[in-house]
């Protein structure tokens, strides 16, 4: 193992033949979000199998003040927590998930290093002996395979990292009490970080950090009231897709919904029933399968043909190829695969890939502005809006999100619980 702990050892390392295959950052705190943390050290492994540690804050070695880690990373370097290091490398967790079919859970890999240590110390990782760390980190497997879509998903995950970086403003005492949240992980400006987990079969992410599930906040117990704007007189504005899955399906099968009405209302007119009943019927058809009544409706006739053709292709090829990123999901990854299930996997992957692209566009638009995108929940984007930018946000983000034929409903409120429809 090569230990890099001062300028001399760093210069010697940089002067050699560097070809890094793997980078693993270890943050000082084992619980704090990486964006509210500091680097303890970085473990690296080269293509020839040699490896080492670059130290920044661990107590077992001298400490480098600063080092731009991107200098030793190339486009095919696998980087754990790449979204937080912001490198040109590939997201290790994603590549590992694709190759092994299950998430790479770093905390499970390193669990043994904490035996015998108190886990309530904030910067515990700085204190566990470096050699103990090294013995565990060197067991992280190499992955040699690279696919084109690994790059696309790495880019999408980096975008999620930027979204996390905005943080969410909370009412401090209420948040701590409601979630039994440890105050030391809450920033002084009452900002908390979310953390998206995109390592799923369809790529659709969950969103949880510590003991808060941000993608499933309770709508009825007042929990959402404690999520507020960071700006004086600011508001939270939510852009919520209307009939999102139905409109995605229409794009897939080539069906045009009439203008001037919602997709649900259009189908209600065809069913001959009220709107709420129509919604239940539609979701039963889409997620439970079609019956003869459904097959008499033009929209579902196209859906039926599409599902059958898709499943036939899936069985013959042994894989499901996503529509935008062209990611290949092997047959065995879809448990108990049938026509409806394969279609639902493709639909959810399309929703996710479109959302990743839309998030990227919204984040680019907001770059340099005071307003921030703070949450993404499948069919809705939440913007913490500065009052000076409000009118532009309403018009411009709506335009971005509706591009491609996906209408949105806009809601606004002083907190996440009292959002009211404004357009």
């Amino acid at each position: 193992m090569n230990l890099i702990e001062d300028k001399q050892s760093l210069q010697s390392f940089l002067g050699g033949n560097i070809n890094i295959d793997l980078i693993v950052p270890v943050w000082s705190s084992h619980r704090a979000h990486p964006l509210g943390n500091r680097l303890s050290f970085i473990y690296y492994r080269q293509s020839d199998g040699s490896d080492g540690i670059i130290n920044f804050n661990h107590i077992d070695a001298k400490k480098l003040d600063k080092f731009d880690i991107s200098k030793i990373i190339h486009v095919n370097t696998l980087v754990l927590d790449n979204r937080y290091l912001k490198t040109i490398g590939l997201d290790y967790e994603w590549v590992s998930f694709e190759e092994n079919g299950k998430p790479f859970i770093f905390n499970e890999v390193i669990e043994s290093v904490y035996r015998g240590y108190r886990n309530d110390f904030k910067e515990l990782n700085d204190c566990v002996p470096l050699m103990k760390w090294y013995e565990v980190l060197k067991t992280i497997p190499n992955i040699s395979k690279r696919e084109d879509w690994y790059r696309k998903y790495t880019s999408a995950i980096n975008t999620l990292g930027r979204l996390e970086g905005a943080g969410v403003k909370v009412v401090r005492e209420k948040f701590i009490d409601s979630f039994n949240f440890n105050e030391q992980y809450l920033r002084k400006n009452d900002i908390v970080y979310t953390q998206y987990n995109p390592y799923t079969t369809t790529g659709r992410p969950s969103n949880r950090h510590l003991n808060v599930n941000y993608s499933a906040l309770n709508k009825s117990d007042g929990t959402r009231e404690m999520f507020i704007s960071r700006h004086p007189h600011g508001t939270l504005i939510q852009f919520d897709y209307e009939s999102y899955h139905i409109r995605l399906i229409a794009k897939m099968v080539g069906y045009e919904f009439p203008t001037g009405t919602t997709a649900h209302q259009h189908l209600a007119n065809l069913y001959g029933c009220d709107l709420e009943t129509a919604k239940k019927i539609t979701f039963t058809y889409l997620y439970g399968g079609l019956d003869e009544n459904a097959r008499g409706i033009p929209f579902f006739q196209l859906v039926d043909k599409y599902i059958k053709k898709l499943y036939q292709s899936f069985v013959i090829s042994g894989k499901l190829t996503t529509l935008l990123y062209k990611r290949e999901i092997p047959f065995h990854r879809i448990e108990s695969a049938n026509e409806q299930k394969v279609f639902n996997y493709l639909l959810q992957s399309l929703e996710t890939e479109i959302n990743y692209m839309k998030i990227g566009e919204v984040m680019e638009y907001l770059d340099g502005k005071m307003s921030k995108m703070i949450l993404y929940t499948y069919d809705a984007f939440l913007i913490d809006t500065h009052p000076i930018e409000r009118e532009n946000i309403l018009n411009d983000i709506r335009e971005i999100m509706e591009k491609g034929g996906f209408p949105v409903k806009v809601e606004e409120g002083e907190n996440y619980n009292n959002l009211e429809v404004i357009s």
Side-chain angles (χ1 to χ4, degrees):
M1 181 196 77
N2 183 27
L3 178 60
I4 300 168
E5 57 180 338
D6 53 29
K7 288 184 179 180
Q8 183 177 355
S9 56
L10 177 62
Q11 290 303 318
S12 175
F13 173 66
L14 294 176
N17 186 19
I18 300 174
N19 187 11
I20 303 293
D21 270 357
L22 174 66
I23 288 286
V24 179
V26 174
W27 308 93
S28 290
S29 170
H30 62 304
R31 287 182 174 169
H33 192 287
L35 291 171
N37 219 321
R38 68 180 189 182
L39 277 172
S40 180
F41 63 90
I42 284 175
Y43 169 80
Y44 71 86
R45 186 183 301 148
Q46 302 219 58
S47 57
D48 63 4
S50 61
D51 59 5
I53 285 174
I54 303 173
N55 189 51
F56 298 99
N57 287 294
H58 198 283
I59 64 173
D60 279 358
K62 298 176 186 176
K63 302 174 183 179
L64 284 171
D65 290 332
K66 288 183 180 179
F67 173 57
D68 182 3
I69 196 68
S70 65
K71 291 181 179 179
I72 62 172
I73 294 175
H74 55 76
V75 293
N76 284 319
T77 300
L78 297 175
V79 184
L80 193 80
D81 279 353
N82 187 60
R83 69 181 105 169
Y84 308 122
L85 294 180
K86 302 175 183 177
T87 81
I88 62 171
L90 290 169
D91 187 271
Y92 180 88
E93 294 101 314
W94 180 259
V95 176
S96 177
F97 177 79
E98 288 289 75
E99 292 305 303
N100 300 308
K102 59 182 180 180
F104 175 84
I105 302 175
F106 185 60
N107 285 342
E108 291 182 0
V109 174
I110 64 172
E111 184 179 15
S112 64
V113 305
Y114 298 124
R115 290 173 189 156
Y117 290 87
R118 288 180 52 181
N119 63 8
D120 58 346
F121 183 60
K122 185 177 180 181
E123 293 169 348
L124 176 60
N125 290 345
D126 291 342
C127 304
V128 175
L130 271 180
M131 284 309 299
K132 194 169 185 178
W133 273 114
Y134 174 71
E135 291 302 318
V136 172
L137 296 175
K138 72 179 183 179
T139 67
I140 294 176
N142 287 325
I143 304 172
S144 58
K145 192 174 181 180
R146 305 288 187 273
E147 299 286 358
D148 291 341
W149 66 85
Y150 293 177
R151 178 72 48 201
K152 294 176 183 177
Y153 268 84
T154 290
S155 177
I157 293 165
N158 288 348
T159 298
L160 291 179
R162 290 176 58 204
L163 173 55
E164 293 171 23
V168 182
K169 174 82 169 181
V170 298
V171 179
R172 190 178 192 91
E173 294 305 321
K174 288 184 178 180
F175 183 80
I176 291 171
D177 291 343
S178 295
F179 293 104
N180 193 26
F181 197 85
N182 191 324
E183 190 171 7
Q184 67 177 322
Y185 302 119
L186 181 59
R187 290 173 57 184
K188 291 180 180 179
N189 57 0
D190 300 336
I191 295 289
V192 293
Y193 291 117
T194 63
Q195 190 165 45
Y196 293 89
N197 172 24
Y199 311 111
T200 62
T201 303
T202 63
R204 181 198 255 195
S206 57
N207 182 10
R208 173 189 289 272
H209 184 244
L210 296 178
N211 52 335
V212 185
N213 185 349
Y214 294 96
S215 59
L217 293 168
N218 196 305
K219 295 181 180 181
S220 60
D221 66 353
T223 298
R224 293 185 174 213
E225 290 181 0
M226 64 193 71
F227 296 89
I228 60 175
S229 174
R230 72 196 67 199
H231 307 294
H233 310 295
T235 57
L236 300 183
I237 297 179
Q238 180 166 268
F239 296 84
D240 191 350
Y241 281 115
E242 179 267 312
S243 311
Y244 195 23
H245 272 193
I246 298 173
R247 291 188 179 276
L248 286 170
I249 292 169
K251 296 288 183 184
M252 294 165 74
V253 305
Y255 185 84
E256 289 289 335
F257 283 108
T259 57
T261 185
T262 68
H264 280 301
Q265 185 60 59
H266 170 68
L267 291 174
N269 295 339
L270 294 177
Y271 302 149
C273 65
D274 64 85
L275 186 60
E276 289 306 311
T277 302
K279 289 181 179 179
K280 294 177 183 177
I281 293 172
T282 298
F283 285 113
T284 297
Y285 287 155
L286 292 179
Y287 303 111
L290 306 179
D291 60 18
E292 289 308 311
N293 291 330
R295 292 187 177 93
I297 297 172
F299 173 67
F300 289 110
Q301 288 172 358
L302 292 173
V303 173
D304 192 39
K305 290 179 182 177
Y306 187 94
I307 288 175
K308 284 180 166 50
K309 184 177 179 181
L310 173 68
Y311 188 70
Q312 183 181 39
S313 173
F314 171 72
V315 171
I316 293 171
S317 66
K319 62 188 178 185
L320 180 65
T321 303
T322 65
L323 297 175
L324 294 182
Y325 288 0
K326 304 302 178 185
R327 175 185 169 219
E328 296 175 358
I329 304 174
F331 189 105
H332 66 272
R333 295 278 174 85
I334 303 178
E335 188 177 350
S336 304
N338 56 36
E339 288 184 354
Q340 195 65 43
K341 196 167 188 179
V342 170
F343 175 67
N344 289 341
Y345 270 63
L346 185 65
L347 173 61
Q348 193 174 107
S349 70
L350 177 62
E351 168 218 290
T352 302
E353 291 175 359
I354 287 179
N355 283 345
Y356 283 158
M357 295 169 72
K358 294 285 187 181
I359 293 169
E361 290 183 61
V362 170
M363 298 288 287
E364 184 176 348
Y365 167 78
L366 291 173
D367 191 32
K369 292 182 172 59
M370 292 176 285
S371 301
K372 307 294 179 185
M373 181 174 173
I374 58 173
L375 277 180
Y376 146 55
T377 51
Y378 311 140
D379 58 359
F381 295 3
L382 188 65
I383 313 296
D384 184 351
T385 307
H386 193 284
I388 293 176
E389 299 169 344
R390 179 180 180 275
E391 292 306 314
N392 286 338
I393 293 293
L394 288 172
N395 295 326
D396 297 343
I397 292 186
R398 179 172 212 144
E399 182 179 342
I400 291 170
M401 293 187 66
E402 291 190 337
K403 198 184 305 178
F406 300 104
V408 295
K409 173 180 68 177
V410 184
E411 302 167 291
E412 185 176 24
E414 293 181 355
N415 62 60
Y416 196 28
N417 192 59
N418 70 353
L419 300 177
E420 295 182 358
V421 177
I422 60 173
S423 65

